[in-house]
Amino acid sequence: MPLAAPTVVVAEPEWRVSPGLTGYQAAVAAMETRVAAIVAGMAPELVWLLEHPPLYTAGSSARPEDLLDGARFPVHAAGRGGQYTYHGPGQRVAYVMLDLNRRGRDVRKFVERLENWLIAALAQFDVAGERRPGRIGIWVDLGRHGGRPGEEAKIAAIGVRIRHWVSFHGVALNVAPDLTHFAGIVPCGIKGYGVTSLAALGVAASMADVDAALKDAFDEVFGDMPTGASVTTE
């Protein structure tokens, strides 16, 4: 009689919400540690929600001329792809450490799912997030929210890194940040467009509201693998 195939038990992703402001270097070190543990099979996947103090990060494709005011806030070299990005209070950063060995070794598809995740979360606030060819991130037609017809602004950024087919870094959604802080860089190297936020669009959403929307949307978009884990607040 043939032996039955072994049953593989896969832990559900952990969700972690950190209060206050988390330093960038500390966050990167924590991600590095967690990714190594996921690769070794010693820890489950993790979606980590946090806010940073005001800072700029430079991705692997960042151009020096896109740093317009390097003295304004600390500038950190980031291990992710992409160009310059701002992080600060009022922006929900979601660091996504997922095992693409199980979810499909397709980076393009993974980025597409991250986009779908943000779009689905924004839809819960009646905000139509959209892709734009050649412009990374999620965009909003401001004409639908009382702005000038045809005017567009970026509401969320995406920047990821893959190591041994485990992802880290992730997405940043503008909830209610100080939008003037973006003036020190050319966000993601894309000139001629502004940035916006839920608050700027007239959406009075708390960070807890956004977290709940992100959790629901994650289950919807990444639901082909185990989800529904409990949320741990530090």
Side-chain angles (χ1 to χ4, degrees), residues 7-209:
T7 300
V8 177
V9 179
V10 178
E12 296 178 338
E14 176 190 354
W15 279 70
R16 181 183 302 168
V17 181
S18 290
L21 302 178
T22 302
Y24 184 76
Q25 297 291 10
V28 171
M31 281 193 286
E32 294 271 359
T33 299
R34 184 57 171 251
V35 167
I38 294 171
V39 170
M42 302 298 291
E45 297 174 312
L46 173 65
V47 180
W48 185 14
L49 307 179
L50 54 81
E51 294 174 83
H52 285 306
L55 57 91
Y56 298 129
T57 64
S60 58
S61 301
R63 299 186 295 260
E65 62 269 25
D66 288 340
L67 181 60
L68 305 179
D69 186 359
R72 187 168 190 173
F73 299 123
V75 181
H76 298 273
R80 58 165 176 79
Q83 302 188 42
Y84 281 105
T85 300
Y86 166 76
H87 293 312
Q91 182 189 71
R92 177 49 91 207
V93 174
Y95 288 135
V96 184
M97 286 151 269
L98 299 182
D99 186 356
L100 302 188
N101 289 293
R102 297 193 295 111
R103 294 178 178 271
R105 292 186 174 190
D106 188 330
V107 176
R108 186 185 299 273
K109 181 66 175 178
F110 175 60
V111 172
E112 181 181 308
R113 285 192 171 193
L114 292 177
E115 293 170 340
N116 290 342
W117 179 32
L118 289 165
I119 290 169
L122 288 168
Q124 296 188 41
F125 301 102
D126 295 322
V127 173
E130 299 175 330
R131 297 179 178 86
R132 288 293 181 268
R135 286 190 256 145
I136 189 68
I138 300 301
W139 298 78
V140 173
D141 181 347
L142 298 182
R144 299 179 182 176
H145 298 274
R148 291 180 297 179
E151 185 179 9
E152 298 178 344
K154 190 172 187 175
I155 196 169
I158 300 172
V160 298
R161 185 175 180 181
I162 310 295
R163 179 179 297 160
H164 300 299
W165 291 105
V166 174
S167 69
F168 56 123
H169 295 278
V171 305
L173 175 60
N174 296 334
V175 181
D178 184 339
L179 295 178
T180 66
H181 288 181
F182 286 85
I185 58 172
V186 177
C188 299
I190 302 172
K191 298 179 180 180
Y193 298 92
V195 290
T196 191
S197 66
L198 288 174
L201 297 176
V203 178
S206 69
M207 202 62 77
D209 294 333

